[in-house]
Amino acid sequence: MPNNNEEILQGNQPGLQRYLSPLGAWALAFGCAVGWGAFVMPGSLFLPVAGPMGTALAMLIGAALMGIIGANYYHMMQRYPDAGGAFTYTKKELGYDHGFLSAWFLMLAYISVLWANATALSLLGRRLFQNTLQFGFHYTILNYEVYLGEAIVVMAALVLFALVCMGGGKLAGRMQIILAVILFAGICICFGSVVAKYGNNLQHFAPAFSPKYSPLVGTLGIVAVTPWAFVGFESISHSAGEFRFSVKKAFSVMAVAVICAALAYIMTTVLAASVLPDHNHTTWYSYVNDLDFMFGIKKLPTFFAASSLMGEKGLFLIGITVLAAIFTGILGNYVAASRLLYAMAEDRMLPGWFGRLNDKGVPRNAILFILLFSLFIPFLGRTAVAWIVDVTTIGATIVYGYVSYTAYRCACREGNIKIRITGMTGTVVAILFSAYLFLPHSETESSLSVESYAIFVIWSVLGSLMFLVLLRNDREARLGKATQVWLWLVFLITFASTIWIRQEFKNAADAALESINLFNITNLRTYGVVMNFNQWQESRDFFHSEISGRLGSELNRDIALMFFMTVVVMLILFMVFRLILDREQKTEGKKMEAERSTRAKSTFLSNMSHDIRTPMNAIIGYTMLARKEKDLSPKAAEYLTKIETSSQHLLALINDVLDMSRIESGKIELEPKKTNIVKTMDEVRDMFLTQMETKGLHYTVTAVDVTNRTVMCDVSRLNRILLNMISNAFKFTPQGGNISVTLHQTGADGETGFYTLSVKDTGIGMSPEFAARVFEAYERERTETVANIQGTGLGMAITKSLVDLMGGTIDVVTEKGKGTEFIIRLGFPLAEDEPETEAVEDNKAPTLQADFSNKRLLLVEDNAINREIAQMILMELGFKVETAEDGEVGKEKVAVSSPGYYDGVLMDIQMPVMNGYEATKAIRALPNPELARIPIIAMTANVFAEDIQHVKDVGMDGHVAKPINIPDLVATLRKCLK
């Protein structure tokens, strides 16, 4: 993060063009802050509430407070010199929830000010040109007459300045500078005409403060609306990525813009108070109190004063100045709002469409969206826009509070005392502003209207819905982490709704009181009682104090009680929600930890499987080769046989451990395919028949009442279940015993067949205690008989897991010394029976039937021992074998060979330089199609299901597991090389 001594240049967003000079940045900040309101508010708000002196003091105080907030903006701009302004600072320091909320209210501020300035064109036309623009259809909405002609002018202005913005930053920047200079110069000239006429005659502007309120109350009332008066001075923070100057100059630019804005408001207020309409009005106070009864330009004191002081030239000057104010407001807020949308799109908080730039480096789509969203505004009338603008003050205050708090947090982290003070001061000021504006009061006219409360509620609810949409599409889990911000928003919505209802009720009560008073006066007249004005006023005030006072106190008490209970319920719900969220986060944390552990375990098992199988391949391979040597002594042959038996037992143990671990981690999935279940039983019978006869066991496999032979099942898993249970029975049944395997179909429901599979023996049986835990992993009964029988204690645990995976059940019936019966109940989807065909090939002795004498293989294997073993086995099978020590060498040998020279490639997977997957992809990408299609068979210690699938995915034709099983190897070679 940069420090205060570094020369910090503009942001890091390469798409935005650097066009803003210091003068252009000033014009943007000043133009956004001073608009149509600077010429209307002096007569409608500033003078009635505070008077000329109170307004001047309020603006100076407001400028100082904005300077403090500007210092906080400047501090954050240095840290994050990108587009986005408050949105960027808030999301970086407080998280995306706060960032979205600040952006939502800031967007309302910019767009509503843009609307206010655009629709002011119709008001300006009415004042200067009377009814010239009032043509076409018209209607009344909210007591405001809307005319098609005026709407066309407003829409034309919106389109024109949207096109200017799309035309590039330089064009927009130059126009903003020209308009801002005209605006400030025009105000100064008008003020100069006042000074020229009245000089030092301050008595002309008496009273200095509004008689309606005390000087302190009136001044603070205007100070409270300074966020509205100055909103936009911070707009350059959204264009920090477009500066052609050091960000270090940004504070000076904002400070000059705020000072100029304050002077502009003071000068227009003095201008409004300088001229009186006629001799009946002796002070500016009487004039502004009668504005509702004025017509033409007299209804706007600033226009009337300019016209009176300078004649037609003054009216023309004030008209040009106001047009400049309107146009800078439209153009500046287009720029600020579009950069905010661009920043949100760049951060994937909005669709990427909003962030697309044109060839001028301007977010054209964002500007286009604002334009389309604004074109309907002229048809809503000016009244609705005024209500929306009222909410802007609160929105701007919330955003200023956010920026100040983020600056405070950042300063605390950096140990910057100065910014800690300005940050905390700005935060407190924003809270006080919000509270003053939010709470209804009768001391000044600066509190919100009833309709503005409703608009705040509606905008907040829309923001909540928008957040919900973003939350549902939040793939990066950035949102929903700051529940307190949404609790606070719900609190504000509830509070605003309560005040809204209260104010509506109060207005309805006042209207009812007026009707009651009028009714009483009318009835009194029928009895000859006529009241003068003072008597009528006294009667009206009595009714109001008695009814409205008592009703108001009861209403306030009930609303306060309701609000208090609502807040209590909200707090309780929040606490419950936090407890649930904390619990879910802990659960999620445990889940993530378990997933990490599972991934680590899977990686370990995969590596262990490979690393153990590699030397096992050497042990089993050399043992097999050694047994084929001539002149072996009987003792040596016996030793080799025992080595081979132990090796196979060790391999079985490894396979069982790995299978159990994969089952526990959920890595095994069923792969159902069409299977003749009776034929599967026959194959199992043939597989064990020789072993059973050798041991002297009576062994039967039968299928009873099986009417639906063809089903959809994972035949390899079913075989594993049968092999485990029959092997178990074989080991624990003594010579002369019986083992019976029975398949019985118990029914079918049209789509599913239900089967019972039983494996029963007359072996040693189990104790009831061990039978209860026979399906647990690594369990073996500790008896003298069992101790002499090899086993891992995993066979039945694996069987139980596979049965569960198939959706079946397994039970055991056993008695010590008499035998055991395992009963499995399964349901399989039925499939259509296929005609049985006799096997064409006999797979019992594939090595005898395979003739590979004219075949040449390329063996790619990095381990020298495994390479030697595989080469010897392949040569015994009749192959000519060439070798390569890694994938790169293997790929090159294939690439330089002529088509047909190699019949196939046996490819190891884990190799240095280039692994088997990469080598296969490289071979498949060879330009010679015949070489690219050469059969490639993986011969690897990577034997998991996902490994076999990966082999297929990269384009290999087969898979042979290590340690090498010769029948499997031959079968795979025959299949792939035919």
Side-chain angles (χ1 to χ4, degrees):
M1 186 172 292
N3 57 44
N4 292 337
N5 297 322
E6 291 177 326
E7 184 70 15
I8 305 164
L9 294 175
Q10 56 268 25
N12 56 4
Q13 283 148 314
L16 295 173
Q17 299 299 311
R18 302 175 182 179
Y19 75 93
L20 267 181
S21 63
L23 181 60
W26 168 82
L28 180 62
F30 174 70
C32 286
V34 178
W36 163 259
F39 300 88
V40 178
M41 300 301 277
S44 62
L45 181 64
F46 297 164
L47 288 174
V49 173
M53 182 60 70
T55 299
L57 291 173
M59 288 301 160
L60 293 175
I61 295 171
L65 295 176
M66 292 303 110
I68 291 173
I69 292 172
N72 297 327
Y73 264 99
Y74 169 64
H75 185 76
M76 299 310 295
M77 286 171 69
Q78 288 184 298
R79 272 69 195 158
Y80 308 108
D82 306 316
F87 164 70
T88 300
Y89 315 148
T90 309
K91 74 163 188 195
K92 293 283 188 182
E93 293 292 330
L94 303 177
Y96 280 84
D97 290 16
H98 293 276
F100 170 79
L101 192 62
S102 65
W104 188 252
F105 282 105
L106 194 58
M107 185 58 64
L108 176 65
Y110 289 149
I111 291 183
S112 63
V113 172
L114 186 152
W115 292 344
N117 281 288
T119 55
L121 287 170
S122 62
L123 294 178
L124 182 63
R126 293 183 185 186
R127 299 295 179 266
L128 297 180
F129 310 112
Q130 284 77 42
N131 58 358
T132 303
L133 300 178
Q134 295 179 351
F135 60 83
F137 70 84
H138 73 280
Y139 53 90
T140 301
I141 180 171
L142 301 173
N143 296 322
Y144 183 87
E145 290 189 353
V146 177
Y147 289 87
L148 176 62
E150 293 176 341
I152 291 174
V153 171
V154 174
M155 289 190 293
L158 289 169
V159 172
L160 172 64
F161 286 102
L163 293 175
V164 169
C165 288
M166 293 180 192
K170 290 183 178 180
L171 175 63
R174 288 168 184 167
M175 182 169 288
Q176 186 77 357
I177 291 173
I178 294 170
L179 292 172
V181 171
I182 292 174
L183 168 60
F184 192 67
I187 293 175
C188 289
I189 293 172
C190 291
F191 180 74
S193 67
V194 176
V195 174
K197 183 168 184 178
Y198 299 106
N200 296 326
N201 184 14
L202 298 180
Q203 191 61 35
H204 178 77
F205 300 96
F209 296 93
S210 173
K212 191 173 183 180
Y213 306 105
S214 69
L216 179 61
V217 171
T219 301
L220 291 179
I222 299 305
V223 169
V225 299
T226 51
W228 167 86
F230 292 99
V231 65
F233 85 91
E234 79 297 330
S235 59
I236 64 171
S237 65
H238 299 288
S239 298
E242 298 167 283
F243 286 175
R244 285 197 293 110
F245 58 92
S246 169
V247 177
K248 282 192 170 184
K249 298 180 181 179
F251 179 71
S252 299
V253 170
M254 288 190 289
V256 173
V258 168
I259 292 171
C260 290
L263 292 176
Y265 283 115
I266 292 171
M267 287 189 286
T268 54
T269 301
V270 172
L271 178 65
S274 63
V275 178
L276 304 177
D278 50 51
H279 296 293
N280 295 326
H281 297 87
T282 57
T283 65
W284 60 260
Y285 183 70
S286 62
Y287 176 21
V288 297
N289 274 344
D290 289 343
L291 285 181
D292 290 340
F293 306 103
M294 298 291 174
F295 299 94
I297 62 171
K298 290 183 179 181
K299 202 171 184 66
L300 293 174
T302 52
F303 281 75
F304 180 67
S307 176
S308 300
L309 292 170
M310 293 179 283
E312 290 295 328
K313 293 181 180 179
L315 187 60
F316 177 77
L317 176 63
I318 195 74
I320 293 298
T321 304
V322 172
L323 276 177
I326 291 172
F327 292 159
T328 56
I330 296 174
L331 189 56
N333 283 284
Y334 257 134
V335 172
S338 63
R339 271 49 173 188
L340 177 57
L341 290 175
Y342 168 79
M344 295 179 73
E346 283 289 289
D347 212 17
R348 300 178 303 282
M349 291 286 284
L350 290 176
W353 180 87
F354 287 92
R356 292 178 189 167
L357 304 176
N358 62 12
D359 56 353
K360 304 291 185 181
V362 172
R364 176 192 58 197
N365 292 348
I367 296 170
L368 183 62
F369 171 79
I370 297 168
L371 170 63
L372 296 176
F373 191 56
S374 303
L375 287 178
F376 74 97
I377 288 298
F379 298 98
L380 294 182
R382 178 72 186 180
T383 306
V385 174
W387 293 340
I388 297 172
V389 173
D390 285 346
V391 183
T392 298
T393 309
I394 289 184
T397 303
I398 291 173
V399 173
Y400 291 162
Y402 263 130
V403 173
S404 297
Y405 183 64
T406 57
Y408 171 77
R409 279 172 56 102
C410 190
C412 288
R413 191 168 59 247
E414 298 170 358
N416 190 323
I417 301 297
K418 177 183 174 182
I419 299 301
R420 284 176 65 180
I421 294 172
T422 60
M424 181 53 66
T425 303
T427 304
V428 172
V429 167
I431 293 172
L432 293 176
F433 275 170
S434 299
Y436 183 84
L437 292 167
F438 234 108
L439 294 171
H441 47 83
S442 57
E443 287 77 13
T444 68
E445 300 169 15
S446 57
S447 60
L448 295 179
S449 64
V450 175
E451 294 79 9
S452 295
Y453 284 112
I455 290 172
F456 177 85
V457 170
I458 293 170
W459 186 252
S460 299
V461 171
L462 289 175
S464 302
L465 294 175
M466 181 66 181
F467 178 80
L468 180 61
V469 172
L470 292 175
L471 185 62
R472 290 193 174 201
N473 295 281
D474 181 23
R475 300 290 180 261
E476 301 173 56
R478 300 180 298 178
L479 298 170
K481 296 183 178 179
T483 53
Q484 66 273 16
V485 68
W486 299 108
L487 176 68
W488 177 243
L489 183 61
V490 171
F491 172 81
L492 287 180
I493 292 173
T494 306
F495 185 65
S497 301
T498 303
I499 297 175
W500 174 20
I501 295 170
R502 176 191 178 279
Q503 295 299 93
E504 285 283 14
F505 187 87
K506 181 179 178 299
N507 291 345
D510 289 343
L513 287 173
E514 290 294 337
S515 298
I516 292 171
N517 195 35
L518 181 61
F519 176 78
N520 287 335
I521 292 173
T522 304
N523 278 349
L524 288 173
R525 283 179 179 175
T526 60
Y527 293 104
V529 179
V530 179
M531 292 188 294
N532 58 31
F533 178 79
N534 290 333
Q535 291 173 328
W536 174 81
Q537 187 70 36
E538 183 180 352
S539 173
R540 179 179 177 276
D541 291 344
F542 174 78
F543 273 107
H544 188 276
S545 62
E546 287 295 311
I547 298 178
S548 181
R550 294 184 182 183
L551 189 63
S553 63
E554 290 287 335
L555 180 63
N556 288 339
R557 186 190 67 188
D558 292 343
I559 287 180
L561 180 61
M562 181 192 73
F563 183 73
F564 174 76
M565 296 302 296
T566 302
V567 170
V568 170
V569 171
M570 285 170 54
L571 289 173
I572 293 173
L573 291 176
F574 175 72
M575 292 172 66
V576 171
F577 176 75
R578 285 297 306 176
L579 288 173
I580 294 173
L581 185 62
D582 290 343
R583 188 178 299 169
E584 288 180 350
Q585 288 176 342
K586 290 179 181 178
T587 303
E588 185 67 21
K590 292 179 180 178
K591 180 182 176 183
M592 293 176 65
E593 182 63 31
E595 289 176 352
R596 282 194 295 269
S597 176
T598 299
R599 286 194 297 270
K601 183 178 179 181
S602 298
T603 303
F604 168 75
L605 290 174
S606 178
N607 293 335
M608 187 186 76
S609 172
H610 180 274
D611 293 346
I612 293 178
R613 284 175 177 273
T614 299
M616 284 295 300
N617 185 59
I619 294 170
I620 294 174
Y622 278 126
T623 302
M624 178 189 66
L625 294 173
R627 291 183 65 187
K628 293 183 179 181
E629 291 293 325
K630 297 179 179 178
D631 302 326
L632 276 178
S633 66
K635 204 67 176 174
E638 180 185 352
Y639 292 156
L640 290 173
T641 300
K642 290 180 178 180
I643 291 173
E644 185 175 30
T645 302
S646 298
S647 298
Q648 293 296 337
H649 175 66
L650 178 59
L651 185 61
L653 187 149
I654 293 170
N655 289 335
D656 283 349
V657 171
L658 294 177
D659 283 349
M660 195 65 222
S661 298
R662 290 173 60 75
I663 288 172
E664 289 175 347
S665 62
K667 290 285 187 178
I668 293 183
E669 295 182 0
L670 296 178
E671 298 178 5
K673 59 183 179 182
K674 190 177 290 188
T675 303
N676 186 320
I677 196 169
V678 175
K679 187 176 180 182
T680 300
M681 298 294 291
D682 292 339
E683 291 171 352
V684 169
R685 178 197 60 207
D686 296 341
M687 190 180 303
F688 281 93
L689 189 58
T690 303
Q691 291 175 279
M692 299 291 184
E693 291 175 350
T694 302
K695 190 175 181 179
L697 298 175
H698 181 65
Y699 172 56
T700 61
V701 178
T702 56
V704 180
D705 298 329
V706 179
T707 56
N708 301 107
R709 295 172 170 243
T710 307
V711 298
M712 298 297 295
C713 78
D714 188 331
V715 67
S716 64
R717 307 298 182 199
L718 180 61
N719 276 334
R720 181 65 186 274
I721 292 171
L722 287 167
L723 292 177
N724 283 354
M725 291 198 302
I726 296 173
S727 296
N728 204 58
F730 175 80
K731 286 190 291 185
F732 295 108
T733 302
Q735 184 177 4
N738 297 319
I739 298 176
S740 62
V741 182
T742 306
L743 174 68
H744 177 231
Q745 183 172 353
T746 58
D749 63 0
E751 296 182 355
T752 305
F754 301 100
Y755 303 86
T756 297
L757 184 61
S758 167
V759 178
K760 186 176 182 179
D761 64 64
T762 58
I764 61 176
M766 294 178 280
S767 65
E769 295 78 15
F770 178 70
R773 59 179 192 276
V774 67
F775 298 116
E776 296 178 11
Y778 306 106
E779 284 291 337
R780 299 192 73 200
E781 191 164 20
R782 305 302 176 187
T783 65
E784 189 173 327
T785 305
V786 174
N788 297 322
I789 300 175
Q790 292 182 335
T792 63
L794 288 173
M796 298 315 299
I798 293 173
T799 300
K800 174 70 164 59
S801 297
L802 292 176
V803 170
D804 290 343
L805 193 62
M806 291 181 172
T809 63
I810 182 170
D811 298 300
V812 59
V813 178
T814 183
E815 185 176 348
K816 194 77 171 176
K818 291 190 176 181
T820 301
E821 180 180 14
F822 287 97
I823 303 170
I824 296 175
R825 296 175 179 85
L826 294 167
F828 296 120
L830 301 179
E832 292 183 5
D833 290 334
E834 293 182 349
E836 296 187 10
T837 57
E838 293 184 2
V840 176
E841 301 175 351
D842 182 7
N843 291 327
K844 289 184 180 180
T847 57
L848 300 178
Q849 297 186 13
D851 181 12
F852 300 119
S853 57
N854 296 319
K855 302 291 185 182
R856 184 188 305 273
L857 293 179
L858 177 62
L859 173 63
V860 186
E861 168 67 68
D862 66 310
N863 186 290
I865 294 175
N866 284 338
R867 191 164 61 243
E868 180 184 3
I869 292 171
Q871 187 174 9
M872 294 177 68
I873 292 173
L874 292 170
M875 291 175 66
E876 282 193 358
L877 293 173
F879 285 103
K880 298 180 181 69
V881 182
E882 295 185 14
T883 63
E885 60 270 20
D886 61 56
E888 177 68 27
V889 176
K891 186 262 294 183
E892 290 300 326
K893 284 193 172 186
V894 173
V896 299
S897 69
S898 57
Y901 179 75
Y902 293 118
D903 294 287
V905 179
L906 282 174
M907 183 78 71
D908 189 21
I909 297 300
Q910 294 191 21
M911 295 182 290
V913 184
M914 180 183 286
N915 65 39
Y917 298 136
E918 294 169 343
T920 300
K921 291 178 181 179
I923 293 172
R924 296 298 185 223
L926 291 175
N928 189 319
E930 292 187 50
L931 292 177
R933 290 195 298 266
I934 188 171
I936 303 176
I937 301 166
M939 189 163 66
T940 175
N942 296 347
V943 296
F944 291 149
E946 56 265 31
D947 298 322
I948 297 173
Q949 184 60 46
H950 196 184
V951 163
K952 296 178 182 177
D953 293 341
V954 298
M956 294 189 182
D957 300 283
H959 179 279
V960 174
K962 293 178 183 176
I964 298 172
N965 180 287
I966 293 179
D968 290 345
L969 173 64
V970 172
T972 303
L973 288 171
R974 291 176 63 194
K975 177 182 177 183
C976 295
L977 302 183
K978 66 181 179 180

